[in-house]
PDB file of all heavy atoms in Angstrom:
ATOM      1  N   GLY A1243     216.690  -0.805  46.721  1.00  0.00           N
ATOM      2  CA  GLY A1243     216.697   0.382  47.560  1.00  0.00           C
ATOM      3  C   GLY A1243     216.123   1.578  46.820  1.00  0.00           C
ATOM      4  O   GLY A1243     215.370   2.381  47.389  1.00  0.00           O
ATOM      5  N   PHE A1244     216.474   1.706  45.558  1.00  0.00           N
ATOM      6  CA  PHE A1244     215.971   2.801  44.727  1.00  0.00           C
ATOM      7  C   PHE A1244     214.453   2.776  44.626  1.00  0.00           C
ATOM      8  O   PHE A1244     213.777   3.782  44.871  1.00  0.00           O
ATOM      9  CB  PHE A1244     216.608   2.715  43.341  1.00  0.00           C
ATOM     10  CG  PHE A1244     215.963   3.587  42.305  1.00  0.00           C
ATOM     11  CD1 PHE A1244     216.109   4.968  42.347  1.00  0.00           C
ATOM     12  CD2 PHE A1244     215.209   3.028  41.281  1.00  0.00           C
ATOM     13  CE1 PHE A1244     215.506   5.774  41.389  1.00  0.00           C
ATOM     14  CE2 PHE A1244     214.614   3.831  40.318  1.00  0.00           C
ATOM     15  CZ  PHE A1244     214.756   5.203  40.378  1.00  0.00           C
ATOM     16  N   VAL A1245     213.880   1.615  44.285  1.00  0.00           N
ATOM     17  CA  VAL A1245     212.435   1.576  44.087  1.00  0.00           C
ATOM     18  C   VAL A1245     211.675   1.664  45.413  1.00  0.00           C
ATOM     19  O   VAL A1245     210.574   2.218  45.456  1.00  0.00           O
ATOM     20  CB  VAL A1245     211.996   0.325  43.287  1.00  0.00           C
ATOM     21  CG1 VAL A1245     212.603   0.349  41.894  1.00  0.00           C
ATOM     22  CG2 VAL A1245     212.377  -0.944  43.991  1.00  0.00           C
ATOM     23  N   TRP A1246     212.277   1.150  46.481  1.00  0.00           N
ATOM     24  CA  TRP A1246     211.590   1.219  47.769  1.00  0.00           C
ATOM     25  C   TRP A1246     211.683   2.610  48.378  1.00  0.00           C
ATOM     26  O   TRP A1246     210.675   3.178  48.815  1.00  0.00           O
ATOM     27  CB  TRP A1246     212.160   0.181  48.723  1.00  0.00           C
ATOM     28  CG  TRP A1246     211.588   0.257  50.110  1.00  0.00           C
ATOM     29  CD1 TRP A1246     212.250   0.564  51.267  1.00  0.00           C
ATOM     30  CD2 TRP A1246     210.227   0.048  50.475  1.00  0.00           C
ATOM     31  NE1 TRP A1246     211.395   0.552  52.330  1.00  0.00           N
ATOM     32  CE2 TRP A1246     210.131   0.242  51.871  1.00  0.00           C
ATOM     33  CE3 TRP A1246     209.064  -0.282  49.771  1.00  0.00           C
ATOM     34  CZ2 TRP A1246     208.938   0.110  52.568  1.00  0.00           C
ATOM     35  CZ3 TRP A1246     207.871  -0.413  50.468  1.00  0.00           C
ATOM     36  CH2 TRP A1246     207.811  -0.222  51.846  1.00  0.00           C
ATOM     37  N   GLU A1247     212.880   3.178  48.392  1.00  0.00           N
ATOM     38  CA  GLU A1247     213.091   4.455  49.061  1.00  0.00           C
ATOM     39  C   GLU A1247     212.570   5.647  48.247  1.00  0.00           C
ATOM     40  O   GLU A1247     212.058   6.615  48.813  1.00  0.00           O
ATOM     41  CB  GLU A1247     214.575   4.646  49.352  1.00  0.00           C
ATOM     42  CG  GLU A1247     215.112   3.650  50.388  1.00  0.00           C
ATOM     43  CD  GLU A1247     216.626   3.588  50.413  1.00  0.00           C
ATOM     44  OE1 GLU A1247     217.270   4.275  49.592  1.00  0.00           O
ATOM     45  OE2 GLU A1247     217.172   2.836  51.256  1.00  0.00           O
ATOM     46  N   GLU A1248     212.679   5.579  46.927  1.00  0.00           N
ATOM     47  CA  GLU A1248     212.282   6.715  46.103  1.00  0.00           C
ATOM     48  C   GLU A1248     210.914   6.552  45.453  1.00  0.00           C
ATOM     49  O   GLU A1248     210.216   7.534  45.210  1.00  0.00           O
ATOM     50  CB  GLU A1248     213.338   6.979  45.035  1.00  0.00           C
ATOM     51  CG  GLU A1248     214.705   7.356  45.620  1.00  0.00           C
ATOM     52  CD  GLU A1248     215.655   7.921  44.587  1.00  0.00           C
ATOM     53  OE1 GLU A1248     215.182   8.389  43.529  1.00  0.00           O
ATOM     54  OE2 GLU A1248     216.870   7.900  44.845  1.00  0.00           O
ATOM     55  N   LEU A1249     210.518   5.317  45.162  1.00  0.00           N
ATOM     56  CA  LEU A1249     209.243   5.087  44.493  1.00  0.00           C
ATOM     57  C   LEU A1249     208.203   4.458  45.406  1.00  0.00           C
ATOM     58  O   LEU A1249     207.037   4.345  45.036  1.00  0.00           O
ATOM     59  CB  LEU A1249     209.450   4.190  43.266  1.00  0.00           C
ATOM     60  CG  LEU A1249     210.535   4.625  42.267  1.00  0.00           C
ATOM     61  CD1 LEU A1249     210.588   3.665  41.094  1.00  0.00           C
ATOM     62  CD2 LEU A1249     210.305   6.047  41.796  1.00  0.00           C
ATOM     63  N   ASN A1250     208.632   4.020  46.592  1.00  0.00           N
ATOM     64  CA  ASN A1250     207.738   3.403  47.577  1.00  0.00           C
ATOM     65  C   ASN A1250     207.040   2.158  47.019  1.00  0.00           C
ATOM     66  O   ASN A1250     205.855   1.931  47.254  1.00  0.00           O
ATOM     67  CB  ASN A1250     206.699   4.415  48.073  1.00  0.00           C
ATOM     68  CG  ASN A1250     206.064   3.978  49.379  1.00  0.00           C
ATOM     69  OD1 ASN A1250     206.682   3.313  50.187  1.00  0.00           O
ATOM     70  ND2 ASN A1250     204.806   4.345  49.571  1.00  0.00           N
ATOM     71  N   ILE A1251     207.813   1.356  46.278  1.00  0.00           N
ATOM     72  CA  ILE A1251     207.297   0.116  45.714  1.00  0.00           C
ATOM     73  C   ILE A1251     208.063  -1.049  46.334  1.00  0.00           C
ATOM     74  O   ILE A1251     209.292  -1.039  46.360  1.00  0.00           O
ATOM     75  CB  ILE A1251     207.470   0.090  44.182  1.00  0.00           C
ATOM     76  CG1 ILE A1251     206.666   1.221  43.541  1.00  0.00           C
ATOM     77  CG2 ILE A1251     207.029  -1.265  43.611  1.00  0.00           C
ATOM     78  CD1 ILE A1251     206.936   1.377  42.056  1.00  0.00           C
ATOM     79  N   PRO A1252     207.370  -2.062  46.851  1.00  0.00           N
ATOM     80  CA  PRO A1252     208.063  -3.222  47.412  1.00  0.00           C
ATOM     81  C   PRO A1252     208.982  -3.879  46.373  1.00  0.00           C
ATOM     82  O   PRO A1252     208.638  -3.965  45.189  1.00  0.00           O
ATOM     83  CB  PRO A1252     206.919  -4.167  47.803  1.00  0.00           C
ATOM     84  CG  PRO A1252     205.753  -3.254  48.027  1.00  0.00           C
ATOM     85  CD  PRO A1252     205.903  -2.167  47.001  1.00  0.00           C
ATOM     86  N   ALA A1253     210.150  -4.329  46.834  1.00  0.00           N
ATOM     87  CA  ALA A1253     211.123  -4.926  45.922  1.00  0.00           C
ATOM     88  C   ALA A1253     211.941  -5.971  46.655  1.00  0.00           C
ATOM     89  O   ALA A1253     212.183  -5.858  47.856  1.00  0.00           O
ATOM     90  CB  ALA A1253     212.035  -3.847  45.347  1.00  0.00           C
ATOM     91  N   ILE A1254     212.383  -6.974  45.908  1.00  0.00           N
ATOM     92  CA  ILE A1254     213.166  -8.044  46.489  1.00  0.00           C
ATOM     93  C   ILE A1254     214.296  -8.415  45.536  1.00  0.00           C
ATOM     94  O   ILE A1254     214.096  -8.502  44.328  1.00  0.00           O
ATOM     95  CB  ILE A1254     212.267  -9.268  46.808  1.00  0.00           C
ATOM     96  CG1 ILE A1254     213.020 -10.320  47.590  1.00  0.00           C
ATOM     97  CG2 ILE A1254     211.647  -9.850  45.555  1.00  0.00           C
ATOM     98  CD1 ILE A1254     212.093 -11.339  48.231  1.00  0.00           C
ATOM     99  N   GLN A1255     215.506  -8.575  46.075  1.00  0.00           N
ATOM    100  CA  GLN A1255     216.654  -9.014  45.289  1.00  0.00           C
ATOM    101  C   GLN A1255     216.752 -10.530  45.402  1.00  0.00           C
ATOM    102  O   GLN A1255     216.762 -11.078  46.505  1.00  0.00           O
ATOM    103  CB  GLN A1255     217.926  -8.358  45.803  1.00  0.00           C
ATOM    104  CG  GLN A1255     219.182  -8.738  45.036  1.00  0.00           C
ATOM    105  CD  GLN A1255     220.369  -7.886  45.441  1.00  0.00           C
ATOM    106  OE1 GLN A1255     220.305  -6.653  45.410  1.00  0.00           O
ATOM    107  NE2 GLN A1255     221.457  -8.521  45.839  1.00  0.00           N
ATOM    108  N   ILE A1256     216.821 -11.206  44.267  1.00  0.00           N
ATOM    109  CA  ILE A1256     216.850 -12.665  44.259  1.00  0.00           C
ATOM    110  C   ILE A1256     218.189 -13.131  43.701  1.00  0.00           C
ATOM    111  O   ILE A1256     218.469 -12.945  42.514  1.00  0.00           O
ATOM    112  CB  ILE A1256     215.687 -13.246  43.440  1.00  0.00           C
ATOM    113  CG1 ILE A1256     214.351 -12.723  43.977  1.00  0.00           C
ATOM    114  CG2 ILE A1256     215.722 -14.767  43.472  1.00  0.00           C
ATOM    115  CD1 ILE A1256     213.144 -13.239  43.234  1.00  0.00           C
ATOM    116  N   GLU A1257     219.016 -13.694  44.571  1.00  0.00           N
ATOM    117  CA  GLU A1257     220.314 -14.226  44.175  1.00  0.00           C
ATOM    118  C   GLU A1257     220.151 -15.722  43.885  1.00  0.00           C
ATOM    119  O   GLU A1257     219.681 -16.473  44.740  1.00  0.00           O
ATOM    120  CB  GLU A1257     221.337 -14.030  45.297  1.00  0.00           C
ATOM    121  CG  GLU A1257     221.682 -12.572  45.579  1.00  0.00           C
ATOM    122  CD  GLU A1257     222.691 -12.001  44.594  1.00  0.00           C
ATOM    123  OE1 GLU A1257     223.331 -12.795  43.863  1.00  0.00           O
ATOM    124  OE2 GLU A1257     222.837 -10.771  44.553  1.00  0.00           O
ATOM    125  N   ILE A1258     220.566 -16.131  42.688  1.00  0.00           N
ATOM    126  CA  ILE A1258     220.334 -17.502  42.244  1.00  0.00           C
ATOM    127  C   ILE A1258     221.671 -18.191  42.003  1.00  0.00           C
ATOM    128  O   ILE A1258     222.477 -17.739  41.189  1.00  0.00           O
ATOM    129  CB  ILE A1258     219.496 -17.517  40.955  1.00  0.00           C
ATOM    130  CG1 ILE A1258     218.220 -16.681  41.133  1.00  0.00           C
ATOM    131  CG2 ILE A1258     219.141 -18.947  40.560  1.00  0.00           C
ATOM    132  CD1 ILE A1258     217.497 -16.393  39.835  1.00  0.00           C
ATOM    133  N   ASN A1259     221.891 -19.276  42.702  1.00  0.00           N
ATOM    134  CA  ASN A1259     223.112 -20.059  42.545  1.00  0.00           C
ATOM    135  C   ASN A1259     223.246 -20.541  41.097  1.00  0.00           C
ATOM    136  O   ASN A1259     222.253 -20.864  40.443  1.00  0.00           O
ATOM    137  CB  ASN A1259     223.063 -21.254  43.501  1.00  0.00           C
ATOM    138  CG  ASN A1259     224.374 -21.999  43.597  1.00  0.00           C
ATOM    139  OD1 ASN A1259     224.873 -22.557  42.627  1.00  0.00           O
ATOM    140  ND2 ASN A1259     224.940 -22.030  44.800  1.00  0.00           N
TER     141      ASN A1259
END
Side-chain angles (χ1 to χ4, degrees):
F1244 167 71
V1245 297
W1246 175 244
E1247 293 165 357
E1248 298 193 21
L1249 308 182
N1250 198 31
I1251 298 172
I1254 188 165
Q1255 181 171 306
I1256 304 180
E1257 293 280 346
I1258 308 167
N1259 190 298

